[in-house]
C-alpha cells in the first residue's frame, strides 16, 4: 500500500506539473489585460552609441500601424533618424528627423499618412499607454500619423483612446530611462508650410543627438 501511494502521488505530481506547463504555454496565446498580443512581431532598435532595445509589435491590436512600421523598417527608413523630443516622466519621440535637425532643418522625413487606429477615431484599441508602450505620433488630425512614433517613459492614461498604441519595448527600458532623463534644450529652425517658410522653435530636444542606427525585425 505504501508503494502504491508513492506511485499514485508521483503520477499526480507529474499530472499537475504537465497541467501547469500546458497552462503557461497557452497564456502567451491569450489576451493580456484584454489585449490580443498573439502573433507579435519582434524588433530590435540599435542606437548609434551601441545601446539596444527590443520590442514587440501587435498586429492584432493595430494592424495598419504595424504594417506601416514594418514596411518602413524594411526600407531602412529609420536608419539615421533621431529621437528629437524627450520628456522625462512622459515619453521619447522619434522617427521623423535626421541629424541635420540640429542645424535648423525642421522638414520632417515623414511618409504617407495612415488611419489613426485609436478609440476616439472609431477604432477599437485597448492597448494602454503604460511604461514602454510604442504609439504613433500625429498632429491634431486623427489620420495624420506616418513615421513618427513615441515610447512611453511612464504611464500616461490621458493618451489612451487618443493615439494608436501598437507595440511595446520588452527589453532595454533602462535605455528609455537614459534618453528620457538626459539634458534637453530648445532650438530654432526653418519649416515650410503651404509654400511659405517659417521660423519655429522646438523644445525638449536632447542636447546630445540620440541617433537610431538601425531598427530590425528579428526571429
Amino acid at each position: 500500500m505504501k508503494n502504491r501511494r508513492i506511485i499514485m502521488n508521483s503520477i499526480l505530481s507529474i499530472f499537475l506539473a504537465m497541467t501547469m506547463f500546458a497552462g503557461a504555454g497557452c497564456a502567451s496565446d491569450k489576451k493580456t489585460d484584454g489585449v490580443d498580443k498573439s502573433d507579435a512581431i519582434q524588433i530590435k532598435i540599435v542606437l548609434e552609441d551601441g545601446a539596444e532595445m527590443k520590442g514587440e509589435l501587435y498586429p492584432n491590436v493595430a494592424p495598419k500601424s504595424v504594417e506601416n512600421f514594418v514596411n518602413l523598417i524594411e526600407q531602412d527608413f529609420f536608419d539615421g533618424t533621431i529621437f528629437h523630443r524627450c520628456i522625462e516622466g512622459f515619453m521619447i519621440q522619434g522617427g521623423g528627423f535626421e541629424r541635420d535637425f540640429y542645424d535648423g532643418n525642421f522638414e520632417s522625413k515623414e511618409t504617407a499618412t495612415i488611419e489613426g487606429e485609436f478609440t476616439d477615431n472609431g477604432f477599437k484599441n485597448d492597448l494602454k499607454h503604460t511604461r514602454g508602450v510604442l504609439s504613433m505620433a500625429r498632429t491634431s488630425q486623427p489620420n495624420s500619423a506616418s513615421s513618427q512614433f513615441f515610447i512611453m517613459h511612464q504611464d500616461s492614461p490621458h493618451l489612451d483612446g487618443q493615439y494608436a498604441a501598437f507595440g511595446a519595448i520588452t527589453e532595454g527600458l533602462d535605455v528609455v530611462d537614459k534618453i528620457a532623463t538626459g539634458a534637453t534644450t530648445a532650438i530654432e529652425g526653418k519649416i515650410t508650410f503651404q509654400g511659405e517658410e517659417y521660423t519655429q522653435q522646438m523644445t525638449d530636444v536632447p542636447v546630445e543627438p540620440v541617433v537610431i542606427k538601425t531598427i530590425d525585425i528579428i526571429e
Side-chain angles (χ1 to χ4, degrees), residues 72-130:
L72 293 175
I73 289 174
E74 292 175 341
Q75 297 169 29
D76 299 325
F77 179 92
F78 295 113
D79 298 4
T81 59
I82 62 173
F83 284 99
H84 67 278
R85 182 170 177 248
C86 302
I87 304 175
E88 182 176 356
F90 184 33
M91 59 89 223
I92 60 174
Q93 180 175 336
F97 299 96
E98 296 182 320
R99 195 188 295 270
D100 60 358
F101 177 86
Y102 283 83
D103 297 325
N105 178 16
F106 289 175
E107 301 296 338
S108 65
K109 193 188 172 186
E110 293 173 304
T111 62
T113 57
I114 59 174
E115 177 187 3
E117 295 175 309
F118 51 91
T119 305
D120 280 13
N121 200 37
F123 185 92
K124 180 176 172 57
N125 183 340
D126 294 326
L127 183 59
K128 305 298 184 184
H129 287 79
T130 54

Side-chain angles (χ1 to χ4, degrees), residues 11-76:
I11 292 173
L12 180 60
S13 296
I14 293 171
F15 175 76
L16 289 172
M18 290 176 66
T19 303
M20 291 173 66
F21 179 78
C26 292
S28 62
D29 297 327
K30 294 181 179 179
K31 292 185 176 181
T32 303
D33 299 327
V35 177
D36 187 354
K37 297 180 180 179
S38 62
D39 301 322
I41 298 169
Q42 308 298 314
I43 64 167
K44 180 169 69 172
I45 303 172
V46 180
L47 302 183
E48 198 174 64
D49 65 2
E52 295 185 4
M53 295 175 276
K54 290 183 180 180
E56 297 178 338
L57 309 179
Y58 305 130
N60 294 325
V61 173
K64 292 181 181 178
S65 299
V66 170
E67 180 183 18
N68 178 66
F69 202 78
V70 168
N71 286 340
L72 293 175
I73 289 174
E74 292 175 341
Q75 297 169 29
D76 299 325

Side-chain angles (χ1 to χ4, degrees), residues 104-167:
N105 178 16
F106 289 175
E107 301 296 338
S108 65
K109 193 188 172 186
E110 293 173 304
T111 62
T113 57
I114 59 174
E115 177 187 3
E117 295 175 309
F118 51 91
T119 305
D120 280 13
N121 200 37
F123 185 92
K124 180 176 172 57
N125 183 340
D126 294 326
L127 183 59
K128 305 298 184 184
H129 287 79
T130 54
R131 175 169 163 78
V133 159
L134 285 157
S135 192
M136 293 302 299
R138 64 176 178 84
T139 68
S140 59
Q141 298 302 314
N143 299 316
S144 59
S146 58
S147 69
Q148 290 194 39
F149 65 96
F150 56 95
I151 304 172
M152 302 310 305
H153 181 222
Q154 298 296 341
D155 298 359
S156 296
H158 66 281
L159 299 183
D160 296 343
Q162 304 288 325
Y163 291 84
F166 67 98

